[in-house]
Amino acid sequence: MTKVPSLSPAEETLWRALMRIVKVLPRDLDADLMHGAGVTSSDYTTLMHLSEAPNRELRMSDLANATGLSASRMTRLVDDLVSRSLVTKVASSTDARGNVARLTAQGMAKLRAAWPVHLASVRSRFLDHLDAAAIKLVASALSGVADQLDER
C-alpha cells in the first residue's frame, strides 16, 4: 500500500476550515431563506435552475443532476413545489416515461422575491469576509477542484 503524506499545517488548516464551511454555511443559508422568503435553499436552487433553463423547464433527471439531489428527493421536492403552485410537472413530450418540471409565473415571482434574501445571506455569511484578491484566488482554486470532481 502506498504511503500517503500527512497534511502540512497549512493544508490541515484549509481542510478543517472548508469542512466547517461545508457543514455550517448551507444550514445558515437555508435558515435565512426560510425566514426571509419562505423557501428552503433546495427550493431556491430548484427554482433558479428552472428559471435559467430553456422554456423554464427541465426533465426531472436533469433537474436532480443540476441541484445535486437524488431522483427520489427531487421528486418529493417538485411535488411540494407543485402543491404550492410554484412548478408544474408534466409528462415529457419526447419520452413518455419521463417527467418535466416547469416553473410557473408564481414560481418565478417567488424566486425574484427570494433572490435579495439569498444575495444578502451569501454576502454577509461568506463574500464580505474576503477581499477582491482573495475572491479571485479562492474562486479559481475551488473551481478547479469542482471541475475535477465533476469529471468523475
Side-chain angles (χ1 to χ4, degrees):
M1 179 181 244
T2 307
K3 181 165 169 91
V4 178
S6 298
L7 298 179
S8 70
E11 290 170 332
E12 182 76 26
T13 299
L14 171 61
W15 184 247
R16 286 177 184 247
L18 182 59
M19 288 300 92
R20 290 192 338 253
I21 290 167
V22 166
K23 288 180 182 179
V24 174
L25 190 58
R27 181 180 62 220
D28 290 349
L29 292 172
D30 198 57
D32 291 345
L33 279 166
M34 279 302 297
H35 178 72
V39 294
T40 66
S41 56
S42 292
D43 293 343
Y44 180 87
T45 302
T46 300
L47 297 175
M48 178 194 70
H49 282 291
L50 288 172
S51 78
E52 295 170 346
N55 300 320
R56 295 187 174 155
E57 64 182 31
L58 285 170
R59 290 179 53 84
M60 291 291 289
S61 59
D62 293 335
L63 188 54
N65 286 334
T67 59
L69 298 175
S70 68
S72 61
R73 175 68 184 111
M74 180 52 62
T75 297
R76 287 190 303 275
L77 192 147
V78 167
D79 288 347
D80 178 61
L81 294 173
V82 167
S83 75
R84 295 186 287 159
S85 301
L86 303 177
V87 169
T88 60
K89 187 165 74 169
V90 296
S92 171
S93 60
T94 59
D95 177 6
R97 294 174 301 158
N99 287 310
V100 173
R102 182 177 299 132
L103 186 64
T104 65
Q106 195 171 340
M108 190 66 194
K110 179 60 100 172
L111 179 63
R112 284 189 180 117
W115 182 77
V117 175
H118 180 260
L119 180 61
S121 183
V122 168
R123 286 201 174 283
S124 68
R125 295 188 181 279
F126 188 73
L127 295 173
D128 289 350
H129 303 282
L130 302 167
D131 63 26
I135 289 173
K136 285 182 181 179
L137 183 64
V138 170
S140 176
L142 293 182
S143 291
V145 173
D147 290 346
Q148 179 269 328
L149 292 171
D150 285 343
E151 291 172 6
R152 294 187 353 187

